[in-house]
Coordinates of all heavy atoms in Angstrom, one line a residue:
R38 N -14.1 2.5 -20.3 CA -15.1 2.0 -19.3 C -15.3 3.0 -18.2 O -16.4 3.0 -17.6 CB -14.6 0.6 -18.7 CG -14.8 -0.5 -19.7 CD -14.6 -1.8 -19.1 NE -14.8 -2.9 -20.1 CZ -14.4 -4.1 -20.0 NH1 -13.6 -4.4 -19.0 NH2 -14.7 -4.9 -21.0
S39 N -14.4 3.8 -17.9 CA -14.6 4.8 -16.8 C -15.4 5.9 -17.4 O -16.0 6.7 -16.6 CB -13.2 5.3 -16.3 OG -12.6 6.1 -17.3
L40 N -15.6 6.0 -18.7 CA -16.4 7.1 -19.3 C -17.8 6.7 -19.5 O -18.7 7.5 -19.8 CB -15.8 7.6 -20.6 CG -14.4 8.3 -20.5 CD1 -13.8 8.5 -21.8 CD2 -14.5 9.6 -19.7
T41 N -18.1 5.4 -19.5 CA -19.5 4.8 -19.8 C -19.8 3.9 -18.7 O -19.0 3.3 -18.0 CB -19.5 4.1 -21.2 OG1 -18.6 3.0 -21.1 CG2 -19.1 5.0 -22.3
A42 N -21.1 3.6 -18.7 CA -21.7 2.7 -17.7 C -21.8 1.3 -18.2 O -21.7 0.3 -17.5 CB -23.1 3.2 -17.2
N43 N -21.8 1.1 -19.5 CA -22.0 -0.1 -20.2 C -20.7 -0.6 -20.8 O -20.1 0.1 -21.6 CB -23.1 0.0 -21.2 CG -23.5 -1.3 -21.9 OD1 -22.8 -2.3 -21.8 ND2 -24.6 -1.3 -22.5
P44 N -20.2 -1.8 -20.5 CA -19.0 -2.3 -21.1 C -19.1 -2.4 -22.7 O -18.1 -2.1 -23.3 CB -18.8 -3.7 -20.6 CG -19.6 -3.7 -19.3 CD -20.7 -2.8 -19.5
S45 N -20.2 -2.7 -23.2 CA -20.3 -2.7 -24.7 C -20.2 -1.3 -25.3 O -19.6 -1.1 -26.3 CB -21.7 -3.3 -25.1 OG -21.8 -4.6 -24.6
D46 N -20.8 -0.3 -24.6 CA -20.6 1.1 -25.0 C -19.1 1.5 -25.0 O -18.7 2.3 -25.8 CB -21.5 2.0 -24.2 CG -23.0 1.8 -24.5 OD1 -23.3 1.2 -25.5 OD2 -23.7 2.3 -23.7
A47 N -18.4 1.0 -24.0 CA -17.0 1.4 -23.8 C -16.2 0.8 -25.0 O -15.3 1.5 -25.5 CB -16.5 0.8 -22.5
E48 N -16.5 -0.4 -25.4 CA -15.8 -1.0 -26.5 C -16.1 -0.2 -27.8 O -15.2 0.0 -28.6 CB -16.2 -2.5 -26.7 CG -15.7 -3.4 -25.6 CD -16.3 -4.8 -25.7 OE1 -17.1 -5.1 -26.5 OE2 -15.9 -5.6 -24.8
D49 N -17.4 0.1 -28.0 CA -17.7 1.0 -29.2 C -17.0 2.3 -29.1 O -16.5 2.8 -30.2 CB -19.2 1.2 -29.3 CG -20.0 -0.1 -29.5 OD1 -19.4 -1.1 -30.0 OD2 -21.2 -0.1 -29.3
L50 N -17.0 2.9 -28.0 CA -16.3 4.2 -27.8 C -14.8 4.1 -28.2 O -14.3 4.9 -28.9 CB -16.5 4.7 -26.4 CG -15.8 6.0 -26.0 CD1 -16.4 7.2 -26.8 CD2 -16.0 6.3 -24.5
L51 N -14.2 3.0 -27.7 CA -12.7 2.8 -28.0 C -12.5 2.6 -29.5 O -11.6 3.2 -30.0 CB -12.2 1.7 -27.2 CG -10.7 1.3 -27.4 CD1 -9.8 2.5 -27.1 CD2 -10.3 0.1 -26.6
Q52 N -13.4 1.8 -30.1 CA -13.2 1.6 -31.5 C -13.4 2.9 -32.3 O -12.6 3.1 -33.3 CB -14.3 0.5 -32.0 CG -14.0 -0.8 -31.6 CD -12.6 -1.3 -32.1 OE1 -12.2 -1.2 -33.2 NE2 -11.9 -2.0 -31.2
T53 N -14.3 3.7 -31.9 CA -14.5 5.0 -32.6 C -13.3 5.9 -32.4 O -12.8 6.5 -33.4 CB -15.8 5.7 -32.1 OG1 -16.9 4.8 -32.2 CG2 -16.0 7.0 -32.9
A54 N -12.8 5.9 -31.2 CA -11.6 6.7 -31.0 C -10.3 6.2 -31.7 O -9.5 7.0 -32.2 CB -11.3 6.8 -29.5
L55 N -10.2 4.8 -31.8 CA -9.1 4.3 -32.5 C -9.3 4.5 -34.0 O -8.2 4.7 -34.7 CB -9.0 2.8 -32.2 CG -8.4 2.5 -30.8 CD1 -8.5 1.0 -30.6 CD2 -7.0 3.0 -30.6
A56 N -10.5 4.5 -34.5 CA -10.6 4.8 -36.0 C -10.2 6.3 -36.2 O -9.6 6.5 -37.3 CB -12.1 4.6 -36.3
K57 N -10.6 7.2 -35.3 CA -10.2 8.6 -35.5 C -8.6 8.7 -35.5 O -8.0 9.5 -36.2 CB -10.8 9.5 -34.4 CG -12.3 9.6 -34.6 CD -12.9 10.5 -33.6 CE -14.4 10.7 -33.7 NZ -15.0 11.5 -32.7
T58 N -8.1 8.0 -34.6 CA -6.6 8.0 -34.4 C -5.9 7.4 -35.7 O -4.9 8.0 -36.2 CB -6.1 7.2 -33.2 OG1 -6.8 7.7 -32.0 CG2 -4.6 7.2 -33.0
Y59 N -6.5 6.3 -36.2 CA -5.9 5.7 -37.4 C -6.0 6.7 -38.6 O -5.0 6.8 -39.4 CB -6.8 4.5 -37.8 CG -6.3 3.7 -39.0 CD1 -5.2 2.8 -38.9 CD2 -6.9 3.9 -40.2 CE1 -4.7 2.2 -40.0 CE2 -6.4 3.2 -41.3 CZ -5.4 2.4 -41.2 OH -4.9 1.7 -42.3
V60 N -7.1 7.5 -38.7 CA -7.2 8.4 -39.8 C -6.1 9.5 -39.7 O -5.6 10.0 -40.7 CB -8.6 9.0 -39.9 CG1 -8.7 10.2 -40.8 CG2 -9.6 7.9 -40.3
A61 N -5.8 9.9 -38.4 CA -4.9 11.0 -38.2 C -3.4 10.5 -37.9 O -2.5 11.3 -37.6 CB -5.3 11.8 -37.0
W62 N -3.2 9.2 -38.1 CA -1.9 8.6 -37.8 C -0.8 9.3 -38.5 O 0.3 9.6 -37.8 CB -1.9 7.1 -38.2 CG -0.8 6.3 -37.6 CD1 0.3 5.9 -38.2 CD2 -0.6 5.9 -36.2 NE1 1.2 5.2 -37.4 CE2 0.6 5.2 -36.1 CE3 -1.4 6.1 -35.1 CZ2 1.1 4.7 -34.9 CZ3 -0.9 5.5 -33.9 CH2 0.3 4.8 -33.9
E63 N -0.8 9.7 -39.7 CA 0.3 10.3 -40.4 C 0.5 11.7 -39.9 O 1.7 12.2 -39.9 CB 0.0 10.4 -41.9 CG 0.0 9.1 -42.6 CD -0.3 9.1 -44.1 OE1 -1.0 10.1 -44.5 OE2 0.1 8.3 -44.8
R64 N -0.5 12.4 -39.4 CA -0.4 13.8 -38.9 C 0.2 13.8 -37.5 O 0.5 14.9 -37.1 CB -1.7 14.5 -39.0 CG -2.2 14.6 -40.4 CD -3.5 15.6 -40.4 NE -4.5 15.3 -39.4 CZ -5.6 14.5 -39.6 NH1 -5.8 14.0 -40.8 NH2 -6.4 14.3 -38.6
I65 N 0.1 12.7 -36.8 CA 0.6 12.8 -35.4 C 2.1 12.8 -35.4 O 2.7 11.9 -35.8 CB 0.0 11.5 -34.6 CG1 -1.5 11.5 -34.6 CG2 0.6 11.5 -33.1 CD1 -2.1 10.3 -34.0
E66 N 2.7 13.8 -34.8 CA 4.1 14.0 -34.9 C 4.8 13.3 -33.7 O 5.8 12.6 -33.9 CB 4.4 15.5 -34.8 CG 4.0 16.3 -36.0 CD 4.2 17.8 -35.9 OE1 4.8 18.2 -34.9 OE2 3.7 18.5 -36.7
D67 N 4.3 13.3 -32.5 CA 4.9 12.7 -31.4 C 4.2 11.4 -31.0 O 3.2 11.4 -30.4 CB 4.8 13.7 -30.2 CG 5.6 13.2 -29.0 OD1 6.3 12.2 -29.1 OD2 5.4 13.8 -27.9
H68 N 4.7 10.3 -31.5 CA 4.2 9.0 -31.2 C 4.4 8.6 -29.8 O 3.8 7.6 -29.4 CB 4.7 8.0 -32.2 CG 4.0 8.1 -33.6 ND1 3.1 7.2 -34.0 CD2 4.1 9.1 -34.5 CE1 2.7 7.6 -35.2 NE2 3.2 8.7 -35.6
G69 N 5.2 9.3 -29.1 CA 5.4 9.0 -27.6 C 4.2 9.5 -26.8 O 4.0 9.0 -25.7
A70 N 3.4 10.4 -27.4 CA 2.2 10.9 -26.6 C 0.9 10.4 -27.2 O -0.2 11.0 -27.1 CB 2.2 12.4 -26.7
L71 N 0.9 9.2 -27.8 CA -0.3 8.6 -28.4 C -1.4 8.3 -27.4 O -2.5 8.5 -27.7 CB 0.1 7.3 -29.1 CG 0.8 7.5 -30.5 CD1 1.3 6.2 -31.0 CD2 -0.2 8.2 -31.4

Side-chain angles (χ1 to χ4, degrees):
R38 284 188 178 158
S39 70
L40 295 173
T41 63
N43 185 342
S45 298
D46 290 342
E48 291 172 358
D49 292 343
L50 178 64
L51 178 59
Q52 287 301 315
T53 303
L55 288 175
K57 289 178 180 182
T58 305
Y59 182 82
V60 170
W62 192 256
E63 291 177 335
R64 294 189 316 261
I65 300 173
E66 295 174 8
D67 184 10
H68 282 251
L71 282 171

